[in-house]
Amino acid sequence: MSLDSSNSKQRSINSTSSNNQSNTSNSKKRKSNQKTLGMAWGANSLSGSRPSFRSSPFSDFGSYMAVKNKKLQNQFDAQASNSSRSDSYTKPIFDGVSIFVDGFTIPSSQELRQYMLNYGGRFENYFSRHRVTHIICSNLPDSKIKNLRSFSSGLPVVKPMWILDSVAANKLLSWVPYQLNQLANNQPTLSSFFTPKSKPADEGAFTNPICEVKHETGLLCLKDASKDASFSEAGNSFEWRKQATEEHNKLMCENSNKTLIDEPSNRYSEEPKEVEVLEPTNLQEDDESLANNRHQSCPEQSSASVSSHCFDNRGIRGSPRSSVIGPSKQRHSTLKDPNFVENYFKNSRLHFIGTWRNRYRNRFPSLSNGWTKSTNSDVSAGTQKTPIIHIDMDCFFVSVVIRSHPELNDKPVAVCHSYNPKGTAEISSANYSARDYGIKAGMFVRDAKGLCPQLVILPYNFEAYEEVADKFYNILHKHCNRVQAVSCDEAFLDVTDLEGRDPQLLASAIRKEIYEATGCSASAGIAKNMLMARLATSTAKPNGQCYIHPERVDEYLDPLPLKALPGIGHVLAEKLKNKNVQTCGQLRLISKDSLQKDFGIKTGEMLWNYSRGVDNRLVGMIQESKSVGAEVNWGVRFRDFQHAQHFLLDLCKEVSLRLQGCGVQGRTFTLKIKKRRKDAGEPTKFMGCGDCENLSHSITVSIATDDIEVLQRITKQLFGSFHIDVKDIRGVGLQVSRLESADTSRQAPERNSLKSWLMSASESSKEQFDINSIAKECMGTDSEGKNMDGNSSVLHNASVENSVHGINKPSNGEGCSNQNSSVPPLCDLDMGVVESLPSELLSEINEIYGGKLFELITKRKVRGDNSSRSLCFIPPEPALEVEAETSHNSDPVSLSRPAVEMRDEQPILQELQTVPDSGARSNSVAISTAGLENNDLVPSSLSQLDTSVLQQLPEELRADIFEALPAHRIQETSAMGPKTDNERHPLGIKSAADNQPGSTGTGLSNNLWIGNPPLWVDKFKVSNLPILKFVADMYYKANSPESLSSILQCTLAESLHPLDSTCDAWNEAIHSFNELLMSYVKLKIVVDIEEIYVCFRLLRRLSTKSEFFLEVYNLTFPHLQASVDENYGGTLNIHRHN
Amino acid sequence: MEIKDNPSPQGEIAGILIEFLEVAITSVVSLKGIYPPGTFERRKYMNVVVQRARHPQLREYIHSAVSGLLPFVQKGLVERVAVIFYNTDNIPIERFIFKLTVNQSFGSHVEESDLEFSLRSFLIKLSVSRPLTTVLPRDCKWEITAYFRALPQVSASKDAEMWIPTDTKQWQQPPLITPIKSMNSEPLGLQLYLEHPSPSELLSG
C-alpha cells in the first residue's frame, strides 16, 4: 500500500470524493474495528474487514490509517516546503489552519489543497477532529445538517470562498461570514451556543451566525476594525493572559480594565499585532476578555467553549458576552469560560443598575453624605411647603443608545441584551413609540416583533449609560445640593434652599440642560413631597414636567389607580381589589385602623398615608441596603461539580467585591439555587432558567465578613448542603445579609483581639522551621501575604496546591507586574518566614521581586534596632511537624487544651527578631481539631480548619482552638475574630499598663471575681509584686478576660521575661495567687468544670516554666481535687493518664 | 411533640434537652465504635453533622430511654445521665456523664435557638473527643444510666417503669474526670465529662 508522491494526489481525490457515499453505508459496520478511526468519518470506503487486508504488515485498519495519514502528511509537508521555496512572496496566512474538504466544492479540493500548500496551511485527506480545524464544503445533505454535531464535531463548517478571499486579501479573514448558509440560518442549538457566535464588527445589524470554533477564540475588537479582522480564529490556541489592572475596590463601579497580553510562548499566534491594537486607550472598553484557553499542547485538540456575543457599538466595540455551559460530550474538555460570572455581570442591565449606586457614591461622596445630617433639623419646617423635584430620564436605556442614531428617533426601538433569531431574549427597555405598540420590558423579542415588526432592537451600551448618568448627576448637583439618587436615571431634588427660584422654572432649566448635555430627554415632577413628585413625573412623561399644587393633591389622587402608587404591587393591589378598592379615592375611605389590621401596621400606614398624598420621607435619606448579593439566572448550565464550584468561587468574588464596594460586611449568607423541575425541558428563553424550584440555604456566622476566602468557604459548604445534581441548576444567587459597616466591625473588638494576638504572636517568633514543613510554610506565606494585600481579612484555605499555583504563576509570568493574583507587596512579607526559606525558594521569590527582597533582608540584618516596629513584620511561623505521627506524643486531643508544646523558648524578643535563623528548633506542635473520622488530624494552620464551623463555635471554644494553634497563626485568626489593625503596637500598650503606680498588695477578699474588671485585677495591679502585676496586665490582653483560662493562656504566651524573681513577698504572691485560684474554683466548680480543667492544665504548663507557678500549682492542686471530688465524686485528670 | 405539650419553660427546656441527649448519646455510642461503622448514618442536627443509628432497635433503645426521662428532667429530678461502657464482668470501663442543671425557678420563655448555640458545641466537641477516651476491649456492653436526685414515685409515669436499677458495678476508687464541655446558660446548665477508673482502681481490680 505504499504510495509515491505522484499518485498521492489521485488517491486523495478518490478518498475525499468518496466520502459522502461511503460514510452512511459503511461507518456503522466498521465501528467495531476502528477505534482510532472513530472520528475519521468517511475516511475510506474500502474496508478494514476485507480478508485480504489481514495479510498486510498492518495489524489492523487503524494502524494502517495512522501510517497512511502520517505518510500523507509527510508528503504534504514536503510539497509545502517546495512550494514555499518556489514562491517566496506568499506568506503563511493559513498558519494553524488545517482544512478538510467535504464533498464537491468549487474550487475543487485539489485547488484548495494547493492553496493550503502555498499559504502555510494544512490539508487533511481524512477527517480527524484532532487535526482538522475547519471543514470546507459548499453543500451539505440534510442529514448532516440535522446532525451537525456528529458531522462536524463542533468544528466550523465554512464555504470555500473563505480560502479564496483570504488568499486574495493576503490575510486570514474571519471565517464567520463564510459559514455555510445552511448552518447560519439554523436555529441555535444548545451545543452550538457554547461556541462563539458573533458577527462581523462592521455590520450594523445583528446577524447571529452560529459558528463552531474549534478553540475558544477571543473576539477581538480592533479599534480600526473596519474590516472583519476582528476575529482571530486562525491561531485558535492563543493563550491570552487576562489581567486585571485595577484595584479591587474600584472594580465594582468602574468597569474593570482588562488587557490581553499575548503569551510569548504562543506558537500559533499569527496576529500578534491585533492583540496590541486592542483598545489600549479606552479604559471603559474593557472586556475583550475571552480567550481563556489554557495552552493546549496540541493545537488540534478541540476544547470547549466560550460563546461570545458581539454587540456592535458604534461599529467598533464589542462587548462579548460569554457563557459557559453544558457538557458537550464529544469534547473532552475541562475548559470553560473562567470569567463567566464576571462577564455576565458586565452585560447585565440589572447589575448595572444595582452597582451603579456605588459608582455614584464614589463620584459624589461628600455630596451624598455631607448634608444629610444638616437637613434633619428643619424637617418639620420643611415638610410644609418643601418643593421636591423628581426627575427621571425618559426611557433611559433606549434613549441613550439611540441618541447617536437620530434616524431612529421616531421609530420603535427596544434594548435587549441579545438578539437571536428565536426571539427568546427579553426586552429590557423600549422607547415610547415602541410602547405604543404595546411593547413592554420583559417581553420576548419574538412577541415584541409580533406586535411591531419594524421594531429595532439594539444592544446595551454600558459605557454610554455611565457617561450619561454621570452627566445627569453633574447637572443635578450643580443646581441643587440636596440630591437623592434613586437610580442611575432618576433622582429627587430638594429645592427648599433655593427659595428664590421657582421650582418649575428650575425643573425646566435642568431638563433643558440635561437634554443639551446628553441628548436625552428627562421628565420632571414637582410637588410637596417625594411621593407626589414621583407621581407627577409619571404624569409628565414623556419629556414633560408636571407640578402638583399642594391643594390639588386630593384631586390628583382621587382617580389614580392604586397600582400607580409606589409600594403597591400586584399582590397588594389584588387584595385591595377584592375589597373593591381600586383608586386612591376609594382607599381614602378606609380607616387607618382597619388598613393596619388587614395589611399589617407598616403597610397599613403606608396605604393610608399614600392615599392622602402624605409622604414624610426626606430627600437624601439614603436607605442602607439590607443585603448585598449577586444572582445569576441566565446561562447557568454546569457540566460537573467542579465546574459548578468554579462558578461559585467566581460568584463569591463578585459578592465580595460588592460588599467591599459598599463598605459593609455581612453575617448571614444565603445561597439560592434555581433547580430545574423534573419535568421541565429547556426553557423558551434561550439559556434562561425556565421552570425552576427555588431552593435556598443560609448560614449565619458570628463575625461579619466580606472576605472572599471566607465567602467561598461558606458558599461551598452551603452548596454542599443542597445535595443537588449540578446539571439541574439553572440559577445561583448568593445573598449576604445582616450587614454591618466594615469600619465598625473592624474597630470594635480591637482591644481584645489585636493586642493579645500581637503579643502572643511575638512570643512565638523564636520558633524555627522544621525543615519538613518549609515548603508548605512558604506556600502558606505567599498566600498569606496575598491576602493581606487587599485589606481583606486573612483567612485562607489555600491548600498547598493552590499556593504553589500562586507562587508559580508570578514567576512564570514574570514581567507582568499586574498579575491578577499578584505577589504581595514586599512590606507585607513575613520576613522571618522568608529568611528561613531554603535558598532556592528564596532566590525564586527574590526574582519575583526583582531582587529587592535580598536588599531588604540585608537591610534588616544590618538594622540592629529591635524597636517594637519589628513586630510589624509578622513573626516567623513556628514549626509545625507535619507528620501526623508525632502527634501521638503530644497528645493531640482536645480543642480545649492548648496543645502547643513550646520548648526551647528564649525569652528575649530582640534576639529572636534579629536572628531568626539561629533560633532553636522547636519541638513538634500537634493540635488536633480532627475531622469526624480522623483520629489525630493535625491542622497545622487555620487554613485547614473549616472557618464557618469555627465561626459558629461559642466564643470560648473558638478561643480554645486559637489557643491550640501555633501562636503565629493567631494572626490569621484575627480575621475570623474581629478585624484588626496590624499597625498596633503591643509594646506601647504594655508599657502603659506597667506605668501604674505601684503600692503594696493587700489581703484579697473572697469576692475576687466580682466586678468588671474583677476585683483581683486592681489588687494585683497595684501590688508591688511583678508577677502579680504581670498577671493583671494579662487580664487586659486576654481574649476573653472573664475566664481565667484565657488569662493564663495569655500569660503563657507572654512570659517573655523570666517570671521568677525572688523577692521578699514571694510567699505573699503565692498566697494571693492561690487565693485567686481557689476563688475561681469555687466560682466555677459546679457549673463549669471544663474551664477549671483548662486552667489547671495551663497552670501545670506554666509550672514547668516558672517556680512561682509551680509552687502555686502544688499548693492549689489538692484543694482543687478535693473540691472536684466533693462535687463530682472523682478527681480531675489533669495529668492525663489514659 | 413533647415540646409543644409543655408550655412551662422547664417543659420546653426538658424537651430540648431530651432531644439533644438522644442525639448526643447516639454520638457517644457511635464515637466509641462498639457497633460496626455501618450502624450509623450522617444526619444534621443543630446545623452540625451528627450520627444517627440506623438499626431500629438501637435507635429505639436510645430514644425510649431518653424520652422516658422527660418528666423527671422537667421536674429537675435527674442529676446526671451516664452512658456507661462496661466489660463482660459488668465493670465500667468508661463513663460519659451528662450533668444537668435545670433552673426550676426560671420563668420566661425559652427558645430552642437560644440554647442551640451552646448545645451545638457539645456535639462538635464530642465529635473530636475520641483521643480522650479509652480504647474499649472486645465484647463491651453499654447502657444508659440516669442518676436521680430523689427516687421518683413509681406511679409518676408509665415511662418511669421502663427504668430499672442498674446491675453495673461501681468503681471502688473515685474516678478520674476529664471534662469535655461545659455550658451554663440560664436556665440550663449542662456539662459533659468523662470518667475513667483511677490507676489505683486498675491495680486493685
Side-chain angles (χ1 to χ4, degrees):
Chain A
M1 277 282 204
S2 68
L3 300 163
D4 58 47
S5 56
S6 62
N7 70 4
S8 73
K9 277 186 184 179
Q10 194 53 43
R11 283 199 60 88
S12 45
I13 290 169
N14 287 342
S15 59
T16 47
S17 58
S18 66
N19 285 338
N20 287 330
Q21 316 124 344
S22 62
N23 74 33
T24 33
S25 55
N26 288 344
S27 57
K28 275 178 198 160
K29 288 178 210 157
R30 280 207 312 267
K31 244 172 204 161
S32 56
N33 66 348
Q34 44 166 292
K35 266 190 186 164
T36 55
L37 256 182
M39 296 303 172
W41 128 95
N44 197 329
S45 57
L46 308 172
S47 63
S49 51
R50 269 194 186 172
S52 63
F53 195 73
R54 299 212 176 107
S55 60
S56 76
F58 306 104
S59 59
D60 59 24
F61 188 77
S63 64
Y64 161 67
M65 280 307 294
V67 172
K68 179 174 180 183
N69 273 322
K70 201 171 167 194
K71 190 149 195 173
L72 284 171
Q73 262 174 36
N74 291 340
Q75 288 167 0
F76 187 89
D77 286 345
Q79 285 188 14
S81 56
N82 285 336
S83 65
S84 60
R85 234 176 278 138
S86 62
D87 184 0
S88 54
Y89 291 103
T90 57
K91 74 173 188 186
I93 54 175
F94 291 116
D95 190 14
V97 175
S98 176
I99 62 164
F100 168 76
V101 179
D102 180 44
F104 175 77
T105 53
I106 300 173
S108 74
S109 63
Q110 276 315 290
E111 287 168 55
L112 292 174
R113 180 174 182 270
Q114 199 57 46
Y115 282 126
M116 298 314 277
L117 272 175
N118 292 341
Y119 293 94
R122 296 207 67 85
F123 183 92
E124 289 295 328
N125 291 298
Y126 300 103
F127 181 79
S128 157
R129 196 170 61 86
H130 299 295
R131 293 191 299 274
V132 172
T133 63
H134 294 75
I135 298 168
I136 308 290
C137 72
S138 306
N139 196 21
L140 277 180
D142 239 24
S143 60
K144 281 186 185 169
I145 300 258
K146 278 183 188 147
N147 209 352
L148 181 68
R149 252 215 99 78
S150 64
F151 157 67
S152 67
S153 299
L155 298 177
V157 181
V158 189
K159 287 186 287 190
M161 283 306 285
W162 173 55
I163 308 259
L164 298 183
D165 289 359
S166 293
V167 170
N170 204 24
K171 67 174 181 178
L172 188 69
L173 302 176
S174 163
W175 52 268
V176 177
Y178 298 97
Q179 212 192 10
L180 202 61
N181 292 338
Q182 288 161 298
L183 295 176
N185 299 334
N186 199 9
Q187 297 283 310
T189 58
L190 184 62
S191 53
S192 62
F193 181 78
F194 306 145
T195 59
K197 346 170 225 185
S198 47
K199 54 174 215 59
D202 57 342
E203 279 179 32
F206 283 70
T207 58
N208 200 4
I210 287 90
C211 7
E212 304 255 352
V213 188
K214 192 187 60 132
H215 293 281
E216 292 123 324
T217 57
L219 174 55
L220 301 178
C221 299
L222 302 184
K223 211 167 187 182
D224 55 347
S226 53
K227 303 263 166 72
D228 46 4
S230 61
F231 255 83
S232 83
E233 51 84 28
N236 280 346
S237 58
F238 286 6
E239 172 171 319
W240 307 111
R241 199 169 269 260
K242 214 173 124 195
Q243 297 195 333
T245 57
E246 234 184 292
E247 285 172 12
H248 288 257
N249 48 6
K250 280 194 189 163
L251 254 170
M252 292 279 301
C253 33
E254 306 277 337
N255 274 335
S256 62
N257 183 16
K258 310 267 150 111
T259 54
L260 295 172
I261 292 193
D262 194 7
E263 281 281 303
S265 62
N266 189 345
R267 287 182 282 160
Y268 297 96
S269 81
E270 74 161 36
E271 294 177 326
K273 277 176 195 161
E274 284 192 6
V275 177
E276 285 156 11
V277 186
L278 242 172
E279 291 286 347
T281 52
N282 192 342
L283 287 188
Q284 311 279 27
E285 183 57 38
D286 46 6
D287 41 349
E288 289 88 347
S289 47
L290 297 206
N292 37 13
N293 233 342
R294 287 251 132 223
H295 206 72
Q296 303 239 337
S297 54
C298 123
E300 285 89 358
Q301 231 170 49
S302 132
S303 59
S305 39
V306 185
S307 105
S308 14
H309 199 129
C310 174
F311 296 115
D312 183 23
N313 298 337
R314 298 186 227 149
I316 293 173
R317 299 178 173 169
S319 50
R321 168 183 287 265
S322 316
S323 77
V324 189
I325 306 122
S328 50
K329 296 230 164 84
Q330 286 94 333
R331 301 173 172 198
H332 307 289
S333 160
T334 56
L335 295 176
K336 53 217 156 201
D337 178 0
N339 307 315
F340 175 69
V341 173
E342 205 177 318
N343 291 332
Y344 177 88
F345 286 116
K346 258 177 215 157
N347 291 286
S348 160
R349 181 182 66 118
L350 291 176
H351 173 73
F352 175 75
I353 295 171
T355 54
W356 165 86
R357 182 176 293 274
N358 288 309
R359 179 181 163 76
Y360 171 72
R361 281 198 190 162
N362 279 10
R363 276 181 62 89
F364 303 103
S366 55
L367 297 168
S368 53
N369 296 326
W371 45 270
T372 39
K373 277 175 194 160
S374 63
T375 54
N376 288 340
S377 53
D378 55 355
V379 174
S380 50
T383 41
Q384 276 295 315
K385 51 174 189 175
T386 307
I388 305 286
I389 300 178
H390 176 245
I391 197 148
D392 189 7
M393 308 278 286
D394 297 327
C395 44
F396 179 73
F397 284 92
V398 177
S399 52
V400 170
V401 175
I402 63 173
R403 65 201 169 117
S404 50
H405 301 276
E407 74 279 3
L408 291 174
N409 264 348
D410 306 323
K411 305 226 168 68
V413 179
V415 170
C416 174
H417 75 268
S418 81
Y419 179 69
N420 74 35
K422 246 179 165 177
T424 52
E426 283 167 23
I427 303 265
S428 310
S429 179
N431 68 356
Y432 284 94
S433 46
R435 288 184 205 182
D436 290 342
Y437 287 92
I439 291 165
K440 289 177 194 152
M443 196 177 250
F444 282 148
V445 169
R446 184 180 47 194
D447 303 338
K449 280 274 188 185
L451 290 169
C452 169
Q454 69 272 32
L455 181 70
V456 178
I457 309 270
L458 292 177
Y460 294 123
N461 182 352
F462 287 106
E463 71 252 33
Y465 296 145
E466 273 179 12
E467 179 201 327
V468 171
D470 289 347
K471 282 183 186 163
F472 173 67
Y473 276 100
N474 280 337
I475 292 166
L476 298 187
H477 281 286
K478 196 173 81 189
H479 285 280
C480 173
N481 58 358
R482 289 191 189 177
V483 180
Q484 178 184 339
V486 178
S487 147
C488 53
D489 62 337
E490 184 184 354
F492 286 102
L493 310 182
D494 181 341
V495 291
T496 328
D497 294 345
L498 313 169
E499 290 199 351
R501 299 183 66 177
D502 180 358
Q504 297 206 54
L505 290 180
L506 180 64
S508 38
I510 291 175
R511 285 180 47 230
K512 187 162 168 250
E513 203 170 320
I514 290 172
Y515 184 75
E516 281 162 3
T518 67
C520 302
S521 62
S523 302
I526 305 131
K528 61 171 182 177
N529 61 30
M530 287 166 74
L531 169 70
M532 295 311 296
R534 186 176 196 153
L535 291 173
T537 309
S538 61
T539 311
K541 279 191 170 241
N543 197 14
Q545 67 184 60
C546 171
Y547 175 59
I548 300 180
H549 194 273
E551 281 161 23
R552 300 181 57 190
V553 166
D554 287 356
E555 201 179 306
Y556 178 86
L557 284 176
D558 267 343
L560 196 71
L562 283 175
K563 271 199 168 180
L565 292 176
I568 300 189
H570 287 287
V571 179
L572 199 51
E574 202 56 36
K575 278 186 194 163
L576 285 162
K577 196 176 170 186
N578 291 339
K579 294 181 178 293
N580 228 350
V581 179
Q582 298 199 39
T583 66
C584 283
Q586 292 164 332
L587 183 59
R588 222 179 299 156
L589 299 175
I590 304 176
S591 77
K592 194 175 187 171
D593 282 350
S594 90
L595 280 177
Q596 290 190 333
K597 208 175 80 193
D598 289 349
F599 300 104
I601 292 182
K602 274 193 177 166
T603 313
E605 179 158 1
M606 177 200 81
L607 289 172
W608 194 86
N609 281 338
Y610 280 14
S611 66
R612 283 159 183 76
V614 176
D615 180 7
N616 295 322
R617 288 175 301 166
L618 279 180
V619 171
M621 304 269 275
I622 294 168
Q623 284 168 345
E624 283 302 324
S625 40
K626 295 221 173 74
S627 70
V628 172
E631 197 160 350
V632 182
N633 290 333
W634 185 89
V636 176
R637 300 290 186 279
F638 297 126
R639 87 175 71 90
D640 54 30
F641 185 72
Q642 295 254 296
H643 188 181
Q645 287 285 10
H646 178 88
F647 177 88
L648 283 177
L649 296 189
D650 283 352
L651 190 65
C652 288
K653 197 161 100 194
E654 177 71 31
V655 172
S656 166
L657 288 174
R658 288 188 187 187
L659 283 169
Q660 284 160 13
C662 300
V664 292
Q665 302 181 328
R667 291 210 294 125
T668 297
F669 302 86
T670 308
L671 187 66
K672 295 187 214 162
I673 295 223
K674 280 187 179 293
K675 181 190 170 198
R676 182 180 68 95
R677 280 196 203 283
K678 271 213 176 97
D679 42 352
E682 261 310 302
T684 356
K685 180 176 172 181
F686 185 58
M687 277 292 134
C689 53
D691 186 14
C692 286
E693 284 175 74
N694 293 311
L695 310 170
S696 85
H697 277 264
S698 69
I699 273 190
T700 302
V701 299
S702 56
I703 291 153
T705 183
D706 58 3
D707 181 54
I708 179 165
E709 306 268 2
V710 181
L711 240 63
Q712 289 177 345
R713 194 82 184 160
I714 291 170
T715 310
K716 261 190 200 164
Q717 192 188 344
L718 281 169
F719 186 71
S721 60
F722 280 102
H723 302 295
I724 189 175
D725 182 359
V726 292
K727 293 194 175 90
D728 287 340
I729 296 176
R730 290 290 178 268
V732 184
L734 178 65
Q735 203 84 34
V736 184
S737 49
R738 299 211 190 168
L739 300 179
E740 297 168 7
S741 160
D743 297 337
T744 51
S745 60
R746 244 167 267 237
Q747 283 159 9
E750 183 180 32
R751 188 187 73 98
N752 284 344
S753 52
L754 174 80
K755 290 181 219 161
S756 48
W757 290 148
L758 268 188
M759 290 307 279
S760 45
S762 65
E763 194 265 350
S764 66
S765 57
K766 70 204 65 163
E767 308 285 357
Q768 250 298 10
F769 291 113
D770 186 308
I771 200 77
N772 291 334
S773 61
I774 282 181
K776 207 170 172 183
E777 293 295 356
C778 82
M779 299 315 170
T781 322
D782 182 53
S783 43
E784 223 173 72
K786 218 158 58 192
N787 281 323
M788 288 180 215
D789 189 6
N791 56 358
S792 54
S793 52
V794 188
L795 211 186
H796 55 84
N797 313 309
S799 66
V800 177
E801 293 81 31
N802 282 345
S803 331
V804 169
H805 187 66
I807 221 167
N808 282 341
K809 222 158 130 196
S811 57
N812 294 343
E814 200 186 341
C816 314
S817 53
N818 279 330
Q819 207 117 22
N820 214 346
S821 59
S822 64
V823 291
L826 260 185
C827 58
D828 280 355
L829 283 185
D830 179 342
M831 294 316 287
V833 175
V834 169
E835 286 170 19
S836 322
L837 293 177
S839 54
E840 315 91 81
L841 271 174
L842 191 57
S843 58
E844 195 178 328
I845 297 176
N846 184 47
E847 216 170 296
I848 295 168
Y849 283 105
K852 286 188 187 142
L853 190 63
F854 280 154
E855 280 173 38
L856 188 66
I857 292 174
T858 334
K859 242 188 255 167
R860 264 171 53 83
K861 290 224 164 119
V862 170
R863 189 174 58 195
D865 75 320
N866 51 6
S867 71
S868 60
R869 201 184 314 148
S870 61
L871 280 176
C872 294
F873 289 107
I874 295 100
E877 332 213 336
L880 301 170
E881 287 271 324
V882 183
E883 311 97 299
E885 296 84 62
T886 58
S887 63
H888 289 308
N889 311 332
S890 50
D891 195 8
V893 213
S894 96
L895 292 176
S896 59
R897 186 193 150 227
V900 189
E901 303 278 350
M902 294 179 193
R903 284 175 220 160
D904 299 339
E905 284 169 347
Q906 299 158 17
I908 300 154
L909 175 67
Q910 292 91 312
E911 191 183 329
L912 308 170
Q913 287 297 333
T914 47
V915 215
D917 301 68
S918 65
R921 225 191 89 165
S922 88
N923 245 310
S924 74
V925 174
I927 315 106
S928 137
T929 2
L932 290 171
E933 314 302 334
N934 206 333
N935 211 346
D936 23 0
L937 202 159
V938 186
S940 52
S941 87
L942 268 183
S943 60
Q944 290 164 25
L945 291 180
D946 186 335
T947 327
S948 48
V949 167
L950 209 52
Q951 293 192 327
Q952 284 173 26
L953 296 179
E955 192 86 42
E956 345 111 358
L957 184 50
R958 208 178 323 138
D960 290 345
I961 293 177
F962 292 174
E963 197 175 289
L965 286 168
H968 82 286
R969 289 287 181 191
I970 286 163
Q971 289 237 332
E972 296 173 18
T973 61
S974 59
M976 263 174 309
K979 296 205 155 194
T980 55
D981 166 7
N982 273 347
E983 302 304 310
R984 284 306 291 250
H985 218 273
L987 290 189
I989 296 151
K990 194 172 154 191
S991 59
D994 279 339
N995 286 341
Q996 291 286 337
S999 71
T1000 42
T1002 53
L1004 298 157
S1005 83
N1006 268 341
N1007 300 326
L1008 285 170
W1009 286 91
I1010 292 172
N1012 185 24
L1015 219 53
W1016 67 266
V1017 177
D1018 289 331
K1019 297 228 177 210
F1020 279 22
K1021 209 153 63 179
V1022 298
S1023 109
N1024 55 358
L1025 307 170
I1027 185 76
L1028 294 188
K1029 271 202 275 193
F1030 182 75
V1031 175
D1033 288 342
M1034 288 308 113
Y1035 172 81
Y1036 291 104
K1037 285 169 187 136
N1039 197 22
S1040 50
E1042 68 279 3
S1043 68
L1044 182 60
S1045 60
S1046 165
I1047 296 164
L1048 288 177
Q1049 173 61 31
C1050 217
T1051 311
L1052 193 63
E1054 279 293 314
S1055 47
L1056 299 175
H1057 50 79
L1059 289 170
D1060 301 329
S1061 52
T1062 43
C1063 63
D1064 311 334
W1066 178 257
N1067 284 329
E1068 188 190 330
I1070 288 176
H1071 173 72
S1072 299
F1073 204 86
N1074 178 39
E1075 196 158 349
L1076 173 73
L1077 282 170
M1078 287 326 292
S1079 156
Y1080 194 65
V1081 167
K1082 211 167 179 180
L1083 186 74
K1084 292 282 183 184
I1085 189 73
V1086 178
V1087 292
D1088 199 347
I1089 196 179
E1090 184 197 4
E1091 165 72 10
I1092 290 178
Y1093 177 72
V1094 173
C1095 284
F1096 277 84
R1097 296 280 294 189
L1098 284 167
L1099 202 59
R1100 198 167 93 89
R1101 197 118 63 79
L1102 278 168
S1103 71
T1104 62
K1105 297 170 75 179
S1106 148
E1107 277 285 312
F1108 173 78
F1109 284 106
L1110 181 62
E1111 259 189 67
V1112 170
Y1113 180 77
N1114 288 336
L1115 185 62
T1116 323
F1117 191 70
H1119 294 281
L1120 167 78
Q1121 292 297 27
S1123 187
V1124 171
D1125 196 26
E1126 188 182 318
N1127 284 278
Y1128 293 90
T1131 51
L1132 265 189
N1133 190 8
I1134 301 285
H1135 300 272
R1136 263 310 157 62
H1137 288 294
N1138 61 322
Chain B
M1 19 178 253
E2 288 97 338
I3 304 171
K4 298 288 179 280
D5 300 335
N6 293 293
S8 78
Q10 282 71 32
E12 287 166 6
I13 300 161
I16 294 164
L17 195 55
I18 290 303
E19 194 180 79
F20 166 79
L21 279 177
E22 187 178 335
V23 175
I25 289 173
T26 312
S27 296
V28 168
V29 175
S30 148
L31 182 80
K32 293 308 295 173
I34 56 172
Y35 295 109
T39 318
F40 300 94
E41 57 189 358
R42 281 154 64 93
R43 278 284 187 276
K44 205 166 157 187
Y45 176 71
M46 291 179 171
N47 224 359
V48 288
V49 173
V50 297
Q51 304 292 320
R52 174 176 177 269
R54 291 172 69 187
H55 196 286
Q57 263 176 292
L58 174 59
R59 196 160 64 216
E60 181 56 24
Y61 169 68
I62 298 173
H63 176 75
S64 62
V66 176
S67 48
L69 284 175
L70 181 72
F72 310 114
V73 170
Q74 198 176 335
K75 288 178 198 137
L77 287 176
V78 181
E79 190 200 2
R80 282 173 291 163
V81 177
V83 181
I84 304 173
F85 296 91
Y86 53 93
N87 62 16
T88 40
D89 303 328
N90 279 352
I91 295 173
I93 299 161
E94 185 166 47
R95 292 151 49 102
F96 286 76
I97 314 283
F98 294 90
K99 193 167 191 281
L100 322 174
T101 328
V102 179
N103 186 345
Q104 288 297 308
S105 54
F106 192 78
S108 56
H109 180 70
V110 183
E111 284 289 342
E112 179 168 6
S113 56
D114 298 338
L115 295 174
E116 187 181 311
F117 191 67
S118 307
L119 290 177
R120 180 163 49 207
S121 57
F122 280 84
L123 298 174
I124 294 170
K125 256 196 135 168
L126 192 57
S127 68
V128 295
S129 299
R130 193 195 300 261
L132 286 175
T133 63
T134 46
V135 180
L136 296 175
R138 292 174 66 85
D139 298 327
C140 268
K141 288 181 279 183
W142 71 283
E143 66 178 20
I144 300 172
T145 305
Y147 294 85
F148 285 67
R149 290 194 170 86
L151 270 184
Q153 290 94 8
V154 182
S155 63
S157 156
K158 242 188 161 184
D159 295 327
E161 294 165 16
M162 300 285 290
W163 287 87
I164 51 163
T166 179
D167 292 331
T168 312
K169 291 173 186 160
Q170 304 289 317
W171 286 316
Q172 304 305 309
Q173 306 286 324
L176 285 173
I177 292 174
T178 313
I180 292 179
K181 187 70 202 149
S182 297
M183 71 166 261
N184 187 31
S185 107
E186 277 299 321
L188 174 67
L190 182 63
Q191 303 201 62
L192 170 60
Y193 55 89
L194 282 171
E195 286 184 359
H196 293 112
S198 70
S200 52
E201 175 95 25
L202 294 176
L203 293 177
S204 65

